[in-house]
Amino acid sequence: MKVLVIGPGGREHAIVRALSADPYVEQVHCAPGNAGIAQDVTVHALDAQNPEAVLALARELDSDLVVIGPEAPLAAGVADALLEANIPVFGPTRAAAQLEASKAFAKDVMAEAQVPTAMAKVAVNADEAAAALDSFGAPYVVKDDGLAAGKGVVVTEDRAAALEHAEACFALGGSVVIEEFLDGPEVSLFVICDGKHAVPLAPAQDFKRIFDNDQGPNTGGMGAYSPLEWLPDGFVDEVMERVAYPTLREMERRGTPFTGVLYCGLAVTRRGIRVIEFNARFGDPETQAVLARLKTPLGGVLLAAAKGQLDDAEQLRWSSQTAVDVVIAAENYPDTPVKGSAIAGLEAANALDGVHVMHAGTSINEEGDITVAGGRVLAVVGLGDDLAAAREKAYAGVAEISWPGAQSRSDIALKAANGEISLATEGQ
């Protein structure tokens, strides 16, 4: 099988790595890729949001499957162009990708499907936003209705800051979704879908704030770990029954069946499971941790989903080990990242036992050095027999890597390793 992966980041590097280990996959290509992906497979310069360009490359490579990583190509209709050409594609159509591209659309789907989620109101101007903020009270949750690469959400006790974020979205011609705040720890669950059938991957937890102790602005994610030993028994089954399958049935009823990854961002609240958001693709950096533990060949599972044959796919098998990944970001991220610095220590980190480095925002300069080319630059993955061991390995890898201004959190998965995550229950 020949597989083309679309995307430039850490999520795509993790997918490429898993596909490269699949004995049934003979070739893996990636476009546009990054410096790390280029060390593993052939990369192609490409505008990933250009459906015609992606289709032309897939035909040129005689691809048996195209896997679309980021959200922007999905919203641009890349999957639609491939489907029209009868090329199997893992990723939803533009219409189905509205589950991520529009928070308001997702809320409407959840309401129709009776999926548990936060109460919400859509606002298109400052007066509506102010009224919605006052109706829910603090903490205030304001979400850009469109795609924002994980950074369009503000959660704050400061009403003025919440209103300022809403007004910034309005100034760009957008709208916002204002929600009630959900208490309890957050969980990411990726669900592989073929339009009718669904298979869950292992749950993960990511860390969105830039600084330790969940301080500072939101980012695309500064690290993740999997599995989550603190989750109650039956958690995944409940998510499938109350969230994933009702959503799939509603999407099919609307004539826009969902094929690809339904990323369920969840809060485990005192009133039970609530959906924070849906994404229409693998999450970053959770993918780096989740796929590091997957033992089942990935290519066959993704192809079965693309062909509507997920019920016939091989049952998923997982390593007993725990995975932790720690993101190293550029100086001044998540504002305007400082780019261009050469990265030292990559070979030393990759040489450590149980450690591998996934590239995100990297490129190669004229001297042949791997350099900083984005906000989140690398994710260092550690695999260990338990969470403490996996953390130790991941941070040993982080310690080997350096460039001026590099920043990472020191507390990824620390509370879980210390047994400090508690699940609130009704009445406490």
Coordinates of all heavy atoms in Angstrom, one line a residue, residues 194-195 197 259 303-312:
D194 N -16.1 5.5 10.0 CA -16.2 5.3 8.5 C -17.6 5.7 8.0 O -18.0 5.3 6.9 CB -16.0 3.8 8.2 CG -17.1 2.9 8.7 OD1 -18.1 3.4 9.4 OD2 -17.0 1.7 8.5
G195 N -18.2 6.6 8.8 CA -19.6 7.1 8.4 C -20.7 6.4 9.2 O -21.7 7.1 9.5
H197 N -19.7 3.2 11.3 CA -19.1 2.5 12.4 C -17.9 3.3 13.0 O -17.4 4.2 12.4 CB -18.5 1.1 11.9 CG -19.5 0.3 11.2 ND1 -19.4 0.2 9.8 CD2 -20.6 -0.4 11.6 CE1 -20.5 -0.5 9.4 NE2 -21.2 -0.9 10.4
T259 N -16.4 10.6 8.0 CA -15.3 9.6 7.8 C -14.0 10.3 8.3 O -13.7 11.4 7.8 CB -15.2 9.1 6.4 OG1 -16.4 8.5 6.0 CG2 -14.1 8.1 6.3
L303 N -7.3 2.7 6.2 CA -7.9 2.4 4.9 C -9.3 1.8 5.0 O -10.2 2.1 4.2 CB -7.0 1.4 4.1 CG -7.4 1.0 2.7 CD1 -7.4 2.2 1.8 CD2 -6.5 -0.1 2.1
A304 N -9.5 0.9 6.0 CA -10.8 0.4 6.3 C -11.8 1.5 6.6 O -13.0 1.4 6.1 CB -10.7 -0.6 7.4
A305 N -11.4 2.5 7.3 CA -12.3 3.6 7.6 C -12.6 4.4 6.3 O -13.8 4.7 6.1 CB -11.7 4.5 8.7
A306 N -11.6 4.6 5.5 CA -11.8 5.3 4.3 C -12.8 4.6 3.3 O -13.5 5.3 2.6 CB -10.5 5.6 3.6
K307 N -12.8 3.3 3.4 CA -13.6 2.5 2.5 C -14.9 2.1 3.1 O -15.7 1.3 2.5 CB -12.8 1.2 2.0 CG -11.6 1.5 1.1 CD -11.0 0.3 0.6 CE -10.0 0.5 -0.5 NZ -9.4 -0.7 -1.0
G308 N -15.2 2.5 4.3 CA -16.5 2.2 4.9 C -16.5 0.7 5.4 O -17.6 0.1 5.5
Q309 N -15.3 0.2 5.7 CA -15.2 -1.2 6.1 C -14.6 -1.4 7.5 O -13.9 -2.4 7.8 CB -14.4 -2.0 5.1 CG -15.0 -1.9 3.7 CD -14.0 -2.4 2.6 OE1 -12.8 -2.7 2.9 NE2 -14.4 -2.5 1.4
L310 N -14.9 -0.4 8.4 CA -14.2 -0.4 9.7 C -14.6 -1.7 10.5 O -13.9 -2.1 11.4 CB -14.6 0.8 10.5 CG -13.7 1.3 11.6 CD1 -12.2 1.3 11.2 CD2 -14.1 2.6 12.1
D311 N -15.8 -2.2 10.3 CA -16.3 -3.4 11.0 C -15.4 -4.6 10.8 O -15.3 -5.5 11.6 CB -17.7 -3.7 10.7 CG -18.7 -3.2 11.8 OD1 -18.2 -2.5 12.7 OD2 -19.9 -3.6 11.8
D312 N -14.7 -4.6 9.6 CA -13.9 -5.7 9.2 C -12.4 -5.5 9.6 O -11.6 -6.3 9.3 CB -14.0 -6.0 7.7 CG -15.4 -6.3 7.3 OD1 -16.1 -6.9 8.1 OD2 -15.8 -5.9 6.2

